[in-house]
Amino acid sequence: MKPVFVVFTRVAAPRLGVAVNVAQIQYIEPMQSGGGAQIYFADSAQVNVYDPLDEVLRKIRQAVSEAES
């Protein structure tokens, strides 16, 4: 399967957003305050996304299903 990227624009930095390679995600945790999610990667990197957690998961699922079709 080709790499699947999801772009999140509500992130701390850089202001333009972050493209996340779905295959590199190790796990996702909800943020404790204010909603959002912390996405952790296999290489120990992480990104904080300030979209609601259900929106983050929906975007990832949608990108994967579009890539598979």
Side-chain angles (χ1 to χ4, degrees):
M1 188 170 113
K2 64 182 180 181
V4 178
F5 289 91
V6 180
V7 176
F8 294 103
T9 55
R10 296 184 63 198
V11 295
R15 293 281 179 221
L16 296 177
V18 172
V20 172
N21 183 347
V22 172
Q24 298 295 318
I25 295 174
Q26 189 166 22
Y27 63 96
I28 300 172
E29 281 186 351
M31 279 199 234
Q32 298 301 319
S33 59
Q38 294 175 301
I39 302 174
Y40 293 87
F41 302 94
D43 64 359
S44 301
Q46 86 173 65
V47 64
N48 293 341
V49 178
Y50 298 102
D51 291 309
L53 180 60
D54 59 338
E55 179 71 11
V56 170
L57 298 176
R58 184 193 66 74
K59 284 182 176 182
I60 292 170
R61 283 189 201 105
Q62 181 179 359
V64 170
S65 72
E66 287 175 3
E68 289 176 343
S69 61

